[in-house]
Amino acid sequence: MVALLATFLLFFLIPILWLLLAPSKTTSTLVSSNPYSFGSLGNLKANWNALFDFQDGAVQTWLTNSIWYSLAALAVTLVVTIPAGYAMAKMNFAGRRLLLVASLVVMLMPTSALVLPLFLEMDQVGLVNSPLSVILPYSFFPFGVYLTYIYFSTAVPADLIAAAKIDGCGDFRAFFHIALPLASPVVALVGFFSFVTNWNNFFLPYVMLPVSDRYPMQVGLTQLLASTPNFNPVVSPDAAVTPPQLALATLVAVVPVLVVFLVAQRYLVSGLTAGGTKG
Amino acid sequence: MPTAPRSRPRAGSWAPRNGHLFVLPYVVLLMFFGAVPVLYSVYLAFTDGDGRFAGLSNFTETFSDFRFVPAVTHVAAFVLIWLIALTVFVVLLALVIHRVVSRRSRTALRFAYFVPGALAGASSVMLWLFLLDPSVSPVSTLLHQLGYDKFTDVIAPGHLPSIFALVAFWTGAGGWILVLYGALNTISSEVIEAAKVDGAGPIRTAVSIELPMIRKWIVYMLILSFAAGTQLFVEPQLVSQASFGIVPNDYSVNQLAYQYAFTQSNFNGSAALSVGLLLVSVVCASVFVARGRLFETD
């Protein structure tokens, strides 16, 4: 048992360890030195500078785009999702169950299934290459609605809301003054999953945003890959990205999510494992 | 991942209109970024370039494309290997971690296995391109022992389904281990104790008690992974870019649909392929919502 656990621990973590170390090397020490050793801070700095000089600061543009798309979508998602999940849990209205079932079906579908249909739609309305073509689809987040629905169904007693209503509180006041102050755990959970999903999304922006200025970092990586001689022999030497620089770019692309993972570990585990409560 | 409620919302006589206002923005998004693209694709799939009804011709044209059967075969091989790996190793690891005595080790192991999940999408593929390149890989000794001295040896076409399954497993297995671990936690300790008293060893307990009780969650994992696997795109797209043309850019069905839209400007053919893939996803998800009973919809 210990051997099994240890083998898989190595399998899952060695790649991460390598990714943390590779940017501190040069092209030649990446090949010649011990893969589990640290290169030097000087190399790291040189790789950093070269990476951010690539195509006059393209990497910085892509990172800014990633932040902008993810955070804009996050804001819209929260504003749309929290009231919807609350209403589905605590209010009665015609079509409630239909909406819930539809949300579940879409939530269980892989997001990539909608990418080309979304592209065909956006192309028709002329939004291709506009940031809206990714921000708006990102903001449609049925999983977040379902999480909110579950949260308000279980964690906020119906009596609490009912009591407020007896005291003359309308639906809107009940939501803003009672439900919303209690909602911070689910806001964090929905925010976490929305940010991670959107930051890591590749297929949708790859299709929607064909111009380099609009790329998010994940798509920018493909451009760097195309400029790395190891993986593309026809690249001209002066435009080249070295393998340690490409590794650094990969690391930079995942650092925000990695940080959120470490900080929000507890939320994350509860979000994923709460699924088991019904068994 | 889904969660399940313990209590149902209490039925009241609240004004129905306010409920509609609360969900209105969400319904608008659901319409424009869920329903409309699907319906528009269906429309395109059944019409020709001039908007005339085309019957099934877009489907027959794309399905008889010489690239279609290979693409389906590639995706099927990848999905099969991936699902077997998930079933065997995710279930095994969840059971084993659940038996680790130290609480701290259990938490640390679950988290460590989950960390690769941060590298979804292009970044995990990028990292694996390095790991599979014998000249820079941290496991180059292993690759050399297997007889692979060059990157192009490793990414030989026959290896690709296994390589894509490896990358997908590395990224996603940890999340599923968490889900199954959570499901194992719900089995009452009395049941396990009773089995022990009756003389059941750890393997017998796992096979006769734990596995049947988490079966639903294993099925859930397999259905969702199957639907996601049929959508294969990022992995072959990047490997094809980095493989000096060894891997074609129409390796998977989704890539083929992409080629139809972007290099052939045949949106109707692209829509036909997308609708086919969409159908697989919708059927998987609907069957599970209707029959799985894992999700509260009342």
Side-chain angles (χ1 to χ4, degrees):
Chain A
M1 287 211 325
V2 174
L4 179 82
L5 291 174
T7 308
F8 274 92
L9 197 62
L10 293 177
F11 168 71
F12 285 116
L13 291 187
I14 280 183
I16 305 274
L17 180 68
W18 183 88
L19 184 64
L20 293 172
L21 293 171
S24 69
K25 301 184 179 172
T26 63
T27 308
S28 62
T29 53
L30 189 68
V31 177
S32 60
S33 73
N34 181 337
Y36 306 107
S37 67
F38 184 79
S40 78
L41 282 175
N43 291 339
L44 180 61
K45 192 161 182 306
N47 287 330
W48 177 275
N49 290 339
L51 179 65
F52 280 83
D53 280 342
F54 175 77
Q55 291 184 359
D56 300 323
V59 172
Q60 197 175 340
T61 309
W62 299 334
L63 283 172
T64 316
N65 288 341
S66 278
I67 293 169
W68 155 231
Y69 303 155
S70 310
L71 291 186
L74 173 69
V76 182
T77 300
L78 288 177
V79 169
V80 167
T81 298
I82 304 293
Y86 168 80
M88 277 148 87
K90 293 294 181 198
M91 297 168 89
N92 266 329
F93 54 92
R96 193 188 67 92
R97 202 183 129 78
L98 176 69
L99 190 57
L100 193 51
V101 171
S103 300
L104 268 177
V105 171
V106 183
M107 164 184 128
L108 295 183
M109 282 165 50
T111 47
S112 43
L114 280 171
V115 168
L116 286 172
L118 276 168
F119 168 78
L120 299 171
E121 179 193 40
M122 291 292 182
D123 183 64
Q124 182 68 28
V125 295
L127 275 179
V128 168
N129 205 32
S130 153
L132 285 178
S133 66
V134 293
I135 292 173
L136 290 175
Y138 282 171
S139 306
F140 169 50
F141 193 44
F143 176 48
V145 171
Y146 189 71
L147 285 175
T148 315
Y149 161 76
I150 295 301
Y151 177 79
F152 282 117
S153 297
T154 55
V156 178
D159 293 344
L160 188 67
I161 313 263
K165 306 204 49 134
I166 289 168
D167 292 344
C169 227
D171 282 330
F172 290 91
R173 280 194 61 187
F175 174 70
F176 283 108
H177 291 275
I178 298 169
L180 214 48
L182 293 170
S184 43
V186 76
V187 168
L189 197 60
V190 173
F192 169 84
F193 280 107
S194 158
F195 179 81
V196 169
T197 316
N198 297 337
W199 183 277
N200 278 337
N201 199 328
F202 174 82
F203 195 10
L204 186 72
Y206 183 76
V207 167
M208 292 287 190
L209 307 170
V211 179
S212 172
D213 288 350
R214 294 262 200 250
Y215 285 176
M217 191 60 201
Q218 293 284 339
V219 178
L221 285 177
T222 61
Q223 187 129 331
L224 291 165
L225 177 69
S227 311
T228 307
N230 289 45
F231 301 113
N232 186 2
V234 298
V235 67
S236 68
D238 52 326
V241 173
T242 67
Q245 286 161 18
L246 185 61
L248 179 63
T250 310
L251 183 61
V252 167
V254 299
V255 153
V257 172
L258 218 46
V259 169
V260 176
F261 260 47
L262 290 169
V263 174
Q265 208 190 123
R266 187 166 303 158
Y267 278 128
L268 187 106
V269 173
S270 72
L272 283 166
T273 55
T277 50
K278 209 177 170 194
Chain B
M1 289 301 114
T3 49
R6 271 160 232 146
S7 70
R8 288 166 185 207
R10 185 192 260 202
S13 57
W14 303 350
R17 284 201 195 121
N18 282 348
H20 289 127
L21 273 182
F22 275 74
V23 297
L24 181 67
Y26 173 64
V27 172
V28 170
L29 290 180
L30 175 70
M31 284 298 143
F32 283 103
F33 307 108
V36 172
V38 172
L39 295 176
Y40 184 55
S41 299
V42 172
Y43 163 79
L44 285 178
F46 286 98
T47 49
D48 65 15
D50 301 320
R52 279 188 302 264
F53 181 69
L56 292 174
S57 65
N58 290 314
F59 293 92
T60 48
E61 185 199 334
T62 48
F63 293 0
S64 59
D65 188 310
F66 71 98
R67 298 166 295 181
F68 180 74
V69 172
V72 171
T73 318
H74 297 149
V75 172
F78 154 72
V79 169
L80 187 69
I81 297 168
W82 185 36
L83 293 192
I84 292 173
L86 281 176
T87 317
V88 175
F89 293 115
V90 168
V91 174
L92 190 64
L93 288 169
L95 286 169
V96 171
I97 295 177
H98 199 249
R99 281 178 165 67
V100 170
V101 181
S102 148
R103 189 189 152 83
R104 191 174 293 175
S105 314
R106 285 201 305 264
T107 314
L109 280 170
R110 272 179 297 156
F111 186 65
Y113 288 3
F114 186 55
V115 168
L119 278 79
S123 31
S124 64
V125 184
M126 204 69 79
L127 176 55
W128 276 91
L129 290 179
F130 283 116
L131 300 173
L132 296 172
D133 183 344
S135 69
V136 293
S137 172
V139 289
S140 52
T141 333
L142 185 67
L143 293 173
H144 287 303
Q145 273 167 5
L146 292 170
Y148 309 132
D149 296 324
K150 296 193 305 287
F151 181 58
T152 43
D153 297 342
V154 181
I155 57 160
H159 300 162
L160 290 174
S162 315
I163 288 176
F164 298 149
L166 180 71
V167 177
F169 180 86
W170 182 78
T171 321
W176 288 115
I177 292 174
L178 285 180
V179 170
L180 293 193
Y181 181 91
L184 284 170
N185 261 350
T186 62
I187 302 175
S188 87
S189 51
E190 286 162 31
V191 177
I192 306 287
E193 282 307 312
K196 247 184 218 165
V197 172
D198 290 348
I203 293 174
R204 184 71 205 274
T205 312
V207 173
S208 309
I209 298 173
E210 290 171 312
L211 281 184
M213 290 187 95
I214 62 167
R215 204 193 53 164
K216 242 182 213 178
W217 288 100
I218 299 173
V219 174
Y220 173 61
M221 168 177 82
L222 294 178
I223 292 184
L224 254 62
S225 303
F226 173 79
T230 55
Q231 298 287 334
L232 184 69
F233 182 83
V234 189
E235 290 88 347
Q237 189 73 7
L238 288 188
V239 172
S240 125
Q241 193 189 322
S243 70
F244 324 127
I246 294 175
V247 181
N249 58 9
D250 43 31
Y251 183 85
S252 77
V253 183
N254 237 338
Q255 280 182 295
L256 185 58
Y258 177 88
Q259 291 301 327
Y260 263 90
F262 286 84
T263 58
Q264 294 165 236
S265 295
N266 181 348
F267 284 11
N268 304 91
S270 181
L273 286 168
S274 297
V275 166
L277 283 171
L278 202 59
L279 203 61
V280 174
S281 297
V282 173
V283 168
C284 284
S286 307
V287 165
F288 201 75
V289 171
R291 304 285 305 276
R293 297 195 186 170
L294 276 180
F295 303 99
E296 192 73 36
T297 54
D298 197 26

